[in-house]
Amino acid sequence: MVEEKKQQVQGVFYTQTEEEVLSNLGTAVEGLSDAEAKKRLASYGANQLDEGKTKSLFVKFLEQFKDFMIIVLMAAAIISGFFGDVTDAVIIMLVVVVNAILGVFQEAKAEQAINALKMMSSPHARVKRDGHVVTLKSEELVPGDIILLEAGDVVPADVRFLEIASLKIEEAALTGESVPVEKSMNKIEDAEVGIGDRTNMGFMNSNVTYGRGIAVVVGTGMNTEVGKIADMLATADETKTPLQENLNQLGKYLTIAILVVAAVMFVVGINGGKEAIDMLLTSISLAVAAIPEGLPAIVTIILALGTQKMAKRNAIVRKLPAVETLGSTEIICSDKTGTLTLNQMTVEKVFVNGTLQDASEAIDTTLPIVQIMTLSNDTKISSDGSLIGDPTETAMVQFSLDKGLDVNGLNTSEPRVGEVPFDSDRKLMSTINELSTGGYQIATKGAPDELLKRCTHYVVNGEVKPMDQEMHALILATNHNLAKQALRVLAMAYRQVDAIPAEMDSEVVEQELIYAGMIGMIDPERPEAKDAVATAREAGIRPIMITGDHRDTAQAIATRLGIVEEGNDDAVITGAELNELSDEEFATAVTKYSVYARVSPEHKVRIVKAWQKKGKIVAMTGDGVNDAPALKTADIGIGMGITGTEVSKGASEMVLADDNFSTIIVAVEEGRKVFSNIQKSIQYLLSANLGEVLTLFIATMVGWTILTPVHILWINLVTDTFPAIALGLEPAEKDVMKQKPRGRNSNFFSNGVFPSIIYQGIIEGGITLGIYWWAITFPVHAGYDAAHLDASTMAFATLGLIQLFHAFNVKSIHGSLFSVGAFKNKSFNWAVLLSFVLLAATILVPGLNDAFNVAHLDSYQWLAVFVASFAIVPIVEIVKFFQRKLVK
Ligand code: ATP
């Protein structure tokens, strides 16, 4: 894009009045028209930060050759070409090029998958276009757009505020100041002030922690304050998963070991009278083939393919390592509302004037309880009559509407002039409304226990009385009684004042209130949650419920879902009780608790840490802006796709597109499958490599020329890759969710993979050497040369084929091949077929066999090759059979 076009409208917006800003940006409070926004998007570009230059295919291709061993191999091939072995040199180069192309393809595939993930989790913003509020991808914002912000949003661009209500924004990423900044509407006179002091502005990627606001976009993309420092931030993104890091480490050890073996082979070979250049090529080819430098790319592909599967099942993984960690999750801490329940609230019970009644019974809508629940409420009634807002609040408006209250009329006649927004720490919300009869009213609703602390009076049948012991006890008993029935209980209170409170602060506003009554709301459990809890338990995972709701409500629902046993009161703890425990005490006691009630977001961090101290891998869900620290602390932070705030999603490793607890279990299952499939790929590749190393090493020791460099490279670089990737697509084994989690200290060698690699490698090498020995000892063709060529060809075919047969064995690490379905994975079938064709072609295609220096085998020899190669299947089956017996 032409640089000029990217230029944003210039101006120091914080020194201008709102009107000046709007007119300078050619916009108005109703927002831009769609057509104008499109035009601006075309001229300013998308609202995103440049992510550095993407490399061209050619550069990626060249990068495949930066590996030292590959360079040495090519050099050796060229030298050998000079000494006359031109065909070999050409084929080696060809194999290296094919391998590089495969490498580019693999990397591109992994990159594509990661980009697709990024797209899925890209943030959204609420924007006014043509006078309507619409939700758009943040990338589509342009200067002049009017946006709406509230607690939990990530500021999507640089903005100037037009309207604010108690708005606080955390700008640590830009200013280093972690305490949220209180925003104001004041025009700033000094154009030179630092970012932190431009209090009437909001900056891209900062987090709204409190309140709400309306703002006009003044800068997008690279023209924002973060855009200016984006280069500094861009590099941090390329994280390696722990598994990939382990693999790199393993690669280093293997490289040393293989280089030693190759060096010994080289020396022994020359001493045995072989040509130095031949031995050099053989040793280097072995080193190139046996060092699993392609493994990290294969692992990335398997992880990335895993994320695609998860996305189809509503679990959107934002960070690749999460796939790996998910499979080892031991504790899942889940919010109740919306995750374990449907978050579809309906008022069931009303406690008013000292008596409890059914919600279906008639009620006078002029009663304070009804007025307060309607006024202290952010629900919007859309033009088609549907209710938009938080389900706890829409349920109350629905109740008022059902009882015949003119909700819009009430909101117009008693307009809101101030508010103290809801937050999950206080568990209260208040509005200040100007009364049609004169004066103002504070309308507060929230958790009964919290609200009661702030009530000095109560109202009954229109009469206001001082709060007494009796009423206090009755309110608490009724709350307890309703909560026991799994109802969410909210209380309402009010107070009349002469003037708007000077400060919109809980300490000022929510005091000396008059208690007006309570309502109990039902929020049904998600139908699939109970089964998901049972599956989790079977898989050795402990589900834990965390909620802001009352202890009794929480326990009742947890019991229904099977998270706690009936009547097990000891498994439930409240936030207040938790406050009494020191971190040490809590860390010892944490295993007791399965339900946390009336907790605040900061308790979540303590819960995660206590479990982590026990060495457990913890997943934690969260939706609010205050949940971000807990989401970050957890091994797997899980955000909510529908109800979650942008901030909480940004802090998560995974986002549930459907907010559903059972999706977590699905993701864990996928995670376990992916890990096990990676183990299979590793087992397959490393046992094959060991087989090759052993074959060549022993052959050299006894003076056999068993395989040429071309053979080794062909088998390892060309035919092995496809089955290794296809193993990553294996379906889950039947018992994945019946095993215990693998734990924090496990790695890809755990679960018997390491010994399997060793013995299977030995079998592969042993059979290959065996068939070679057999062929030279009992030659079909007379004469040493012909016999040798036949034997070498048979060894080549056997080593290749045995790996393809062995690929079937590793479909299950311990289970029988017959229990997993040998041909279920179609990609695997194709991969094995392709590898087989690539292998067979070198022997069968006239011309190619000359180039590959192999003989034409007769049917008798082919039969021997097949029987010998296939032998690995029954052998491994028998070993696995005894392994299973021993483990039991
Ligand atoms: P979780 O998803 O953790 O289960 P929750 O919905 O139970 O969350 P919060 O939303 O923090 O937790 O609610 C905690 C308590 O705050 C509720 O039990 C209720 O008493 C009160 N509350 C919830 N929503 C509102 C609201 N909009 N206005 C006033 N009080 C509310």
Side-chain angles (χ1 to χ4, degrees):
M1 170 154 319
V2 187
E3 197 49 38
E4 222 176 275
K5 282 198 163 184
K6 272 189 157 181
Q7 278 295 312
Q8 305 272 330
V9 179
Q10 289 301 313
V12 187
F13 297 100
Y14 45 92
T15 59
Q16 300 167 8
T17 62
E18 288 100 85
E19 293 72 29
E20 283 167 347
V21 174
L22 289 175
S23 96
N24 283 342
L25 289 163
T27 186
V29 282
E30 297 77 38
L32 298 171
S33 68
D34 259 343
E36 175 62 21
K38 263 205 194 100
K39 245 201 261 161
R40 292 192 184 193
L41 190 64
S43 88
Y44 295 121
N47 176 33
Q48 59 192 17
L49 302 176
D50 290 348
E51 292 190 349
K53 291 188 183 63
T54 43
K55 292 174 190 155
S56 72
L57 270 186
F58 184 63
V59 172
K60 284 184 185 158
F61 177 73
L62 285 185
E63 275 184 357
Q64 303 292 319
F65 298 98
K66 68 178 184 211
D67 185 353
F68 178 66
M69 290 313 291
I70 296 274
I71 296 172
V72 178
L73 176 67
M74 290 195 299
I78 292 167
I79 296 170
S80 102
F82 271 118
F83 286 99
D85 210 348
V86 181
T87 334
D88 257 19
V90 170
I91 294 192
I92 289 176
M93 292 305 235
L94 215 73
V95 174
V96 171
V97 169
V98 171
N99 188 51
I101 294 172
L102 276 179
V104 172
F105 177 74
Q106 286 172 10
E107 278 173 22
K109 183 119 185 114
E111 208 171 285
Q112 251 174 26
I114 292 167
N115 285 341
L117 279 184
K118 271 195 199 153
M119 290 293 286
M120 266 190 281
S121 52
S122 73
H124 288 78
R126 280 172 307 138
V127 191
K128 268 196 195 169
R129 289 269 172 95
D130 285 322
H132 298 289
V133 177
V134 288
T135 303
L136 295 179
K137 280 197 172 151
S138 301
E139 290 146 38
E140 294 170 37
L141 289 185
V142 292
D145 261 329
I146 305 291
I147 61 163
L148 278 60
L149 289 169
E150 64 180 20
D153 284 344
V154 173
V155 180
D158 281 3
V159 298
R160 162 74 151 91
F161 293 109
L162 303 175
E163 196 182 309
I164 55 174
S166 314
L167 188 68
K168 288 187 189 165
I169 299 187
E170 188 244 302
E171 295 170 345
L174 270 175
T175 60
E177 175 58 65
S178 61
V179 180
V181 182
E182 181 137 20
K183 292 295 168 183
S184 79
M185 294 298 300
N186 297 339
K187 194 176 104 173
I188 292 161
E189 300 300 337
D190 180 4
E192 299 303 315
V193 295
I195 294 176
D197 295 321
R198 297 175 201 165
T199 47
N200 56 17
M201 301 271 294
F203 303 100
M204 187 177 194
N205 287 356
S206 55
N207 300 333
V208 182
T209 57
Y210 198 76
R212 71 176 105 232
I214 298 178
V216 55
V217 172
V218 300
T220 58
M222 294 306 283
N223 285 302
T224 57
E225 292 299 331
V226 260
K228 292 180 193 158
I229 55 166
D231 285 345
M232 276 154 56
L233 306 170
T235 42
D237 224 7
E238 222 178 89
T239 45
K240 283 212 160 57
T241 80
L243 195 70
Q244 287 170 322
E245 267 164 23
N246 281 345
L247 281 175
N248 284 343
Q249 194 66 31
L250 171 80
K252 284 191 189 125
Y253 293 135
L254 279 180
T255 308
I256 296 169
I258 291 163
L259 287 181
V260 170
V261 171
V264 172
M265 262 176 54
F266 179 70
V267 174
V268 172
I270 292 181
N271 276 344
K274 298 225 165 90
E275 290 269 344
I277 186 69
D278 284 351
M279 258 345 275
L280 185 69
L281 259 187
T282 308
S283 315
I284 295 171
S285 305
L286 176 70
V288 168
I291 295 169
E293 73 289 307
L295 212 47
I298 291 181
V299 169
T300 309
I301 293 183
I302 298 179
L303 287 173
L305 290 174
T307 61
Q308 289 177 355
K309 277 259 163 69
M310 289 185 186
K312 283 203 187 105
R313 302 178 73 181
N314 286 327
I316 294 156
V317 172
R318 298 184 64 251
K319 295 169 190 160
L320 212 49
V323 182
E324 206 182 308
T325 327
L326 259 172
S328 54
T329 307
E330 294 167 288
I331 309 290
I332 300 176
C333 301
S334 171
D335 284 330
K336 170 182 72 68
T337 312
T339 313
L340 286 161
T341 66
L342 288 167
N343 203 9
Q344 286 167 6
M345 308 270 177
T346 320
V347 179
E348 291 250 308
K349 299 278 181 196
V350 182
F351 178 68
V352 66
N353 291 333
T355 52
L356 188 63
Q357 65 178 63
D358 253 16
S360 54
E361 291 172 41
I363 192 168
D364 176 0
T365 55
T366 60
L367 281 173
I369 181 174
V370 184
Q371 301 266 312
I372 294 157
M373 73 168 90
T374 316
L375 288 171
S376 177
N377 198 311
D378 291 330
T379 302
K380 298 267 171 300
I381 305 179
S382 63
S383 47
D384 64 355
S386 59
L387 303 183
I388 304 161
D390 173 41
T392 301
E393 300 206 328
T394 54
M396 293 183 233
V397 170
Q398 189 61 54
F399 174 80
S400 304
L401 288 169
D402 290 348
K403 298 300 167 200
L405 182 72
D406 173 9
V407 172
N408 281 337
L410 180 70
N411 279 314
T412 320
S413 66
E414 320 223 305
R416 189 186 290 191
V417 291
E419 65 191 277
V420 188
F422 173 74
D423 83 63
S424 39
D425 282 323
R426 254 169 53 247
K427 301 182 173 59
L428 299 173
M429 160 174 178
S430 297
T431 59
I432 293 101
N433 300 79
E434 189 173 350
L435 296 175
S436 48
T437 50
Y440 300 90
Q441 176 180 266
I442 294 167
T444 307
K445 73 176 190 319
D449 27 352
E450 294 299 323
L451 192 62
L452 204 52
K453 290 181 201 156
R454 297 156 192 262
C455 290
T456 48
H457 292 74
Y458 68 95
V459 62
V460 62
N461 299 323
E463 200 182 327
V464 176
K465 297 181 177 175
M467 182 64 73
D468 50 31
Q469 280 282 320
E470 207 182 325
M471 192 58 183
H472 197 270
L474 179 62
I475 293 169
L476 287 183
T478 312
N479 182 20
H480 177 69
N481 168 19
L482 292 174
K484 274 241 167 278
Q485 302 167 41
L487 299 179
R488 160 175 279 212
V489 191
L490 263 91
M492 328 295 152
Y494 68 102
R495 170 163 64 108
Q496 289 185 2
V497 286
D498 298 331
I500 301 175
E503 269 179 84
M504 288 301 155
D505 187 72
S506 165
E507 293 312 311
V508 178
V509 176
E510 291 161 346
Q511 297 300 334
E512 299 180 359
L513 299 171
I514 305 164
Y515 171 88
M518 288 188 292
I519 51 166
M521 287 182 277
I522 186 80
D523 174 20
E525 299 96 68
R526 284 184 179 271
E528 55 297 305
K530 193 170 180 179
D531 284 346
V533 166
T535 310
R537 283 184 174 282
E538 206 176 7
I541 300 166
R542 171 116 176 237
I544 285 175
M545 178 198 273
I546 299 183
T547 177
D549 247 335
H550 191 272
R551 173 184 192 119
D552 297 330
T553 314
Q555 189 175 352
I557 291 180
T559 310
R560 287 194 203 174
L561 290 172
I563 292 174
V564 285
E565 299 82 49
E566 181 87 53
N568 184 4
D569 298 345
D570 291 343
V572 189
I573 183 171
T574 63
E577 288 162 354
L578 190 51
N579 288 340
E580 299 295 308
L581 299 179
S582 70
D583 281 345
E584 285 68 35
E585 285 167 332
F586 181 46
T588 13
V590 66
T591 48
K592 251 174 57 185
Y593 306 114
S594 289
V595 176
Y596 294 83
R598 279 285 187 256
V599 286
S600 313
E602 71 264 15
H603 289 124
K604 287 183 162 183
V605 178
R606 286 191 71 192
I607 299 169
V608 171
K609 285 193 172 155
W611 276 113
Q612 284 174 335
K613 255 196 187 156
K614 289 253 179 254
K616 299 291 182 193
I617 296 187
V618 190
M620 168 67 83
T621 69
D623 48 12
V625 54
N626 299 340
D627 288 332
L631 292 169
K632 283 198 186 125
T633 313
D635 298 281
I636 298 277
I638 304 173
M640 299 294 138
I642 305 169
T643 54
T645 54
E646 290 295 342
V647 173
S648 62
K649 288 187 218 172
S652 302
E653 267 79 28
M654 178 170 90
V655 172
L656 306 178
D658 58 358
D659 290 12
N660 191 338
F661 177 79
S662 59
T663 302
I664 306 176
I665 305 301
V666 166
V668 169
E669 183 181 343
E670 276 298 327
R672 285 188 175 191
K673 184 187 85 183
V674 166
F675 185 82
S676 143
N677 285 350
I678 289 174
Q679 278 192 316
K680 290 171 193 173
S681 280
I682 291 174
Q683 184 180 343
Y684 171 69
L685 279 176
L686 294 190
S687 57
N689 288 2
L690 180 62
E692 289 153 19
V693 172
L694 285 176
T695 304
L696 273 162
F697 187 72
I698 294 173
T700 311
M701 291 298 142
V702 297
W704 292 344
T705 312
I706 187 165
L707 295 172
T708 65
V710 168
H711 295 160
I712 307 161
L713 291 171
W714 191 254
I715 288 180
N716 199 285
L717 299 185
V718 180
T719 59
D720 269 7
T721 315
F722 304 108
I725 296 177
L727 278 167
L729 295 169
E730 280 293 301
E733 288 180 51
K734 269 185 271 161
D735 60 348
V736 264
M737 290 307 268
K738 300 212 162 39
Q739 292 160 1
K740 298 275 155 278
R742 60 173 199 269
R744 202 176 272 284
N745 295 326
S746 70
N747 59 34
F748 44 83
F749 279 155
S750 312
N751 197 21
V753 171
F754 183 70
S756 298
I757 291 174
I758 303 293
Y759 92 82
Q760 290 161 2
I762 293 175
I763 296 174
E764 292 187 19
I767 292 180
T768 311
L769 287 164
I771 198 122
Y772 181 83
W773 171 84
W774 182 76
I776 53 168
T777 316
F778 307 103
V780 178
H781 298 285
Y784 179 74
D785 266 3
H788 165 73
L789 193 62
D790 284 5
S792 155
T793 308
M794 285 168 76
F796 169 56
T798 304
L799 188 57
L801 258 186
I802 204 170
Q803 293 179 4
L804 298 186
F805 280 122
H806 185 48
F808 285 91
N809 283 327
V810 294
K811 277 172 166 255
S812 173
I813 293 169
H814 297 297
S816 163
L817 170 59
F818 303 102
S819 70
V820 290
F823 301 106
K824 257 193 189 158
N825 175 357
K826 286 213 181 72
S827 323
F828 178 83
N829 299 345
W830 283 112
V832 171
L833 188 68
L834 176 63
S835 294
F836 177 72
V837 170
L838 286 171
L839 181 72
T842 55
I843 304 173
L844 298 177
V845 176
L848 260 189
N849 57 354
D850 288 340
F852 273 80
N853 206 11
V854 288
H856 234 43
L857 299 181
D858 64 20
S859 45
Y860 175 64
Q861 289 169 319
W862 269 121
L863 183 70
V865 165
F866 266 93
V867 171
S869 311
F870 182 75
I872 197 163
V873 175
I875 296 174
V876 172
E877 275 292 316
I878 293 168
V879 177
K880 284 202 268 189
F881 175 78
F882 283 110
Q883 271 177 345
R884 289 196 297 272
K885 284 268 173 262
L886 278 178
V887 171
K888 269 181 195 163

